[in-house]
Amino acid sequence: MANMQPTYGVGRVAPASQMILEDHLKKCLSMTSGNHWKPYGNKNLPRAQHSAFGDFPKEFMHKKTAGVTEVKPIDKQEVSIAATGTAILKKGDGLGGKSTSLNLPRARPPVQKPVAGAVGRRQIPVSEFRLFYDRGDLPVTIEHGPQNKINWKVEIQQLDYHHYLPIFFEGIREKMDPYRFLAV
Protein backbone atom coordinates (compact mmCIF):
# COMPACT_ATOMS: atom_id res chain seq x y z
CA MET A 1 0.00 0.00 0.00
CA ALA A 2 3.01 2.24 0.30
CA ASN A 3 3.43 2.44 -3.46
CA MET A 4 0.22 4.03 -4.81
CA GLN A 5 1.62 4.85 -8.25
CA PRO A 6 -0.55 3.57 -11.11
CA THR A 7 0.88 0.56 -12.88
CA TYR A 8 0.28 -0.02 -16.54
CA GLY A 9 0.77 -3.76 -16.39
CA VAL A 10 -1.77 -6.54 -16.56
CA GLY A 11 -5.37 -5.41 -16.31
CA ARG A 12 -4.64 -1.70 -16.86
CA VAL A 13 -4.86 0.32 -20.06
CA ALA A 14 -2.21 2.94 -20.70
CA PRO A 15 -3.50 6.40 -21.68
CA ALA A 16 -1.92 6.23 -25.14
CA SER A 17 -3.49 2.88 -25.95
CA GLN A 18 -6.84 4.07 -24.57
CA MET A 19 -6.72 7.09 -26.92
CA ILE A 20 -5.96 4.80 -29.86
CA LEU A 21 -8.90 2.58 -28.93
CA GLU A 22 -11.21 5.60 -28.61
CA ASP A 23 -10.10 6.94 -32.01
CA HIS A 24 -10.76 3.56 -33.63
CA LEU A 25 -14.18 3.34 -31.96
CA LYS A 26 -15.09 6.85 -33.14
CA LYS A 27 -14.02 5.91 -36.66
CA CYS A 28 -16.18 2.77 -36.60
CA LEU A 29 -19.18 4.64 -35.22
CA SER A 30 -18.85 7.40 -37.80
CA MET A 31 -19.26 4.83 -40.58
CA THR A 32 -22.87 4.26 -39.55
CA SER A 33 -23.71 7.92 -38.93
CA GLY A 34 -23.88 10.78 -41.40
CA ASN A 35 -20.97 12.85 -40.04
CA HIS A 36 -17.48 11.64 -40.81
CA TRP A 37 -14.88 11.57 -38.07
CA LYS A 38 -11.36 12.68 -38.95
CA PRO A 39 -8.50 11.85 -36.57
CA TYR A 40 -6.64 15.06 -37.41
CA GLY A 41 -9.66 17.10 -36.31
CA ASN A 42 -8.70 16.48 -32.67
CA LYS A 43 -7.77 19.84 -31.11
CA ASN A 44 -5.59 18.13 -28.48
CA LEU A 45 -3.11 16.88 -31.09
CA PRO A 46 0.07 18.93 -31.52
CA ARG A 47 0.23 21.13 -34.60
CA ALA A 48 1.92 19.40 -37.53
CA GLN A 49 5.37 20.58 -38.51
CA HIS A 50 6.41 21.50 -42.05
CA SER A 51 8.91 18.64 -42.25
CA ALA A 52 10.36 15.85 -40.14
CA PHE A 53 13.12 18.26 -39.08
CA GLY A 54 10.80 21.03 -37.89
CA ASP A 55 9.25 24.18 -39.35
CA PHE A 56 10.80 26.09 -42.25
CA PRO A 57 12.24 29.57 -41.57
CA LYS A 58 9.72 32.38 -42.14
CA GLU A 59 11.74 33.95 -44.96
CA PHE A 60 11.39 30.71 -46.99
CA MET A 61 7.61 30.46 -46.54
CA HIS A 62 5.24 31.48 -49.34
CA LYS A 63 3.45 34.74 -48.77
CA LYS A 64 -0.31 34.21 -48.80
CA THR A 65 -2.19 36.75 -50.87
CA ALA A 66 -5.40 37.83 -49.21
CA GLY A 67 -8.52 38.74 -51.10
CA VAL A 68 -10.23 37.64 -54.26
CA THR A 69 -8.22 36.39 -57.21
CA GLU A 70 -8.30 38.54 -60.31
CA VAL A 71 -10.70 37.44 -63.03
CA LYS A 72 -8.97 37.22 -66.40
CA PRO A 73 -10.89 37.94 -69.61
CA ILE A 74 -11.92 34.99 -71.72
CA ASP A 75 -9.86 34.45 -74.87
CA LYS A 76 -11.58 34.35 -78.22
CA GLN A 77 -10.80 30.63 -78.58
CA GLU A 78 -12.59 29.83 -75.30
CA VAL A 79 -15.88 31.55 -76.19
CA SER A 80 -18.53 29.04 -77.24
CA ILE A 81 -19.84 28.90 -80.80
CA ALA A 82 -23.34 29.79 -79.60
CA ALA A 83 -22.15 33.06 -77.99
CA THR A 84 -20.19 34.26 -81.04
CA GLY A 85 -22.75 33.30 -83.65
CA THR A 86 -20.13 31.39 -85.68
CA ALA A 87 -21.61 28.97 -88.17
CA ILE A 88 -21.10 25.30 -87.48
CA LEU A 89 -18.94 23.48 -90.03
CA LYS A 90 -20.86 21.71 -92.75
CA LYS A 91 -19.87 18.69 -94.82
CA GLY A 92 -16.68 19.46 -96.77
CA ASP A 93 -15.74 22.57 -94.74
CA GLY A 94 -13.17 20.95 -92.45
CA LEU A 95 -9.67 19.67 -93.13
CA GLY A 96 -10.38 16.04 -92.31
CA GLY A 97 -8.95 13.76 -94.98
CA LYS A 98 -7.46 16.61 -96.96
CA SER A 99 -3.72 16.64 -97.46
CA THR A 100 -1.84 19.85 -96.85
CA SER A 101 1.87 20.58 -96.76
CA LEU A 102 1.56 22.77 -93.64
CA ASN A 103 0.93 19.82 -91.34
CA LEU A 104 4.03 18.28 -89.81
CA PRO A 105 4.46 14.53 -90.12
CA ARG A 106 3.70 12.40 -87.11
CA ALA A 107 6.79 11.69 -85.01
CA ARG A 108 7.90 8.11 -85.40
CA PRO A 109 8.83 6.20 -82.26
CA PRO A 110 12.59 5.70 -81.84
CA VAL A 111 13.98 2.27 -82.56
CA GLN A 112 14.37 0.37 -79.31
CA LYS A 113 17.43 -1.68 -78.50
CA PRO A 114 16.81 -5.41 -78.81
CA VAL A 115 16.19 -7.22 -75.54
CA ALA A 116 18.70 -9.97 -74.79
CA GLY A 117 16.36 -11.90 -72.51
CA ALA A 118 19.07 -12.80 -70.00
CA VAL A 119 16.66 -12.71 -67.07
CA GLY A 120 13.67 -14.17 -68.94
CA ARG A 121 12.46 -17.71 -68.55
CA ARG A 122 14.26 -20.10 -70.88
CA GLN A 123 12.62 -22.98 -72.66
CA ILE A 124 14.08 -26.23 -71.36
CA PRO A 125 13.92 -29.07 -73.87
CA VAL A 126 12.17 -32.25 -72.84
CA SER A 127 14.60 -34.80 -71.45
CA GLU A 128 15.23 -38.12 -73.10
CA PHE A 129 14.00 -39.81 -69.91
CA ARG A 130 10.56 -38.20 -70.28
CA LEU A 131 10.33 -39.25 -73.92
CA PHE A 132 11.26 -42.87 -73.10
CA TYR A 133 8.82 -43.03 -70.14
CA ASP A 134 5.90 -41.49 -72.07
CA ARG A 135 6.52 -43.90 -74.94
CA GLY A 136 6.60 -46.89 -72.53
CA ASP A 137 10.17 -47.92 -73.36
CA LEU A 138 11.40 -47.98 -69.76
CA PRO A 139 10.91 -51.27 -67.90
CA VAL A 140 9.57 -49.54 -64.78
CA THR A 141 6.12 -48.68 -63.35
CA ILE A 142 4.85 -46.96 -60.20
CA GLU A 143 2.76 -48.81 -57.62
CA HIS A 144 0.56 -46.11 -56.10
CA GLY A 145 -0.42 -46.36 -52.46
CA PRO A 146 0.31 -44.68 -49.16
CA GLN A 147 3.99 -44.92 -50.10
CA ASN A 148 4.71 -44.93 -53.84
CA LYS A 149 6.88 -47.87 -54.90
CA ILE A 150 8.71 -48.77 -58.08
CA ASN A 151 7.95 -52.04 -59.87
CA TRP A 152 10.52 -53.28 -62.35
CA LYS A 153 9.14 -55.20 -65.33
CA VAL A 154 12.51 -56.94 -65.76
CA GLU A 155 14.75 -58.46 -63.12
CA ILE A 156 17.44 -55.98 -62.10
CA GLN A 157 20.25 -58.44 -62.96
CA GLN A 158 19.04 -58.52 -66.59
CA LEU A 159 18.97 -54.68 -67.04
CA ASP A 160 21.34 -53.21 -69.61
CA TYR A 161 23.02 -50.54 -67.46
CA HIS A 162 24.96 -49.11 -70.42
CA HIS A 163 21.64 -48.23 -72.05
CA TYR A 164 19.35 -47.27 -69.13
CA LEU A 165 21.73 -45.60 -66.65
CA PRO A 166 22.47 -42.50 -68.82
CA ILE A 167 18.75 -42.12 -69.50
CA PHE A 168 17.95 -42.15 -65.76
CA PHE A 169 20.78 -39.70 -65.04
CA GLU A 170 19.35 -37.29 -67.59
CA GLY A 171 15.96 -37.65 -65.91
CA ILE A 172 17.35 -36.19 -62.67
CA ARG A 173 16.88 -32.66 -64.07
CA GLU A 174 13.10 -33.22 -64.34
CA LYS A 175 11.06 -31.26 -61.79
CA MET A 176 7.63 -32.82 -62.29
CA ASP A 177 6.33 -36.12 -60.98
CA PRO A 178 6.30 -39.00 -61.91
CA TYR A 179 9.51 -38.29 -63.89
CA ARG A 180 11.38 -36.81 -60.93
CA PHE A 181 10.29 -39.66 -58.62
CA LEU A 182 11.35 -42.36 -61.07
CA ALA A 183 14.67 -40.76 -62.01
CA VAL A 184 15.73 -40.28 -58.41
Side-chain angles (χ1 to χ4, degrees):
M1 288 274 193
N3 187 3
M4 297 299 287
Q5 296 293 327
T7 58
Y8 301 115
V10 179
R12 301 270 180 150
V13 179
S17 60
Q18 184 169 353
M19 289 176 70
I20 292 171
L21 287 172
E22 287 176 6
D23 288 348
H24 184 68
L25 180 62
K26 287 177 187 175
K27 180 180 173 187
C28 292
L29 291 175
S30 70
M31 289 180 190
T32 58
S33 66
N35 50 353
H36 295 288
W37 180 79
K38 297 175 183 157
Y40 50 82
N42 187 353
K43 294 177 184 171
N44 295 331
L45 288 175
R47 187 175 63 83
Q49 295 180 338
H50 297 143
S51 73
F53 303 107
D55 289 339
F56 296 124
K58 293 197 185 253
E59 59 267 11
F60 289 105
M61 296 298 293
H62 290 290
K63 309 269 189 292
K64 292 184 182 178
T65 56
V68 181
T69 57
E70 181 182 334
V71 178
K72 296 178 182 176
I74 298 174
D75 290 337
K76 188 173 184 180
Q77 294 88 359
E78 296 176 358
V79 177
S80 72
I81 293 174
T84 59
T86 307
I88 298 175
L89 293 176
K90 302 272 190 292
K91 183 178 179 183
D93 290 341
L95 292 177
K98 294 182 182 177
S99 62
T100 175
S101 62
L102 299 177
N103 292 338
L104 296 175
R106 196 178 282 165
R108 296 185 181 220
V111 178
Q112 299 290 327
K113 294 178 183 175
V115 179
V119 294
R121 191 174 190 141
R122 295 188 183 120
Q123 185 68 26
I124 300 174
V126 177
S127 69
E128 201 173 302
F129 177 81
R130 182 183 286 215
L131 293 174
F132 274 80
Y133 180 77
D134 289 341
R135 218 169 33 193
D137 290 345
L138 296 178
V140 65
T141 59
I142 300 175
E143 181 182 332
H144 296 285
Q147 190 73 26
N148 290 340
K149 295 180 183 175
I150 295 176
N151 284 338
W152 291 95
K153 296 178 185 175
V154 180
E155 290 187 30
I156 296 180
Q157 292 82 14
Q158 296 178 349
L159 275 178
D160 183 13
Y161 287 105
H162 294 289
H163 177 69
Y164 288 114
L165 194 60
I167 296 172
F168 275 85
F169 271 115
E170 188 179 349
I172 292 175
R173 69 184 176 125
E174 291 287 344
K175 299 292 182 195
M176 291 175 49
D177 284 334
Y179 312 109
R180 182 197 57 82
F181 172 73
L182 285 172
V184 172

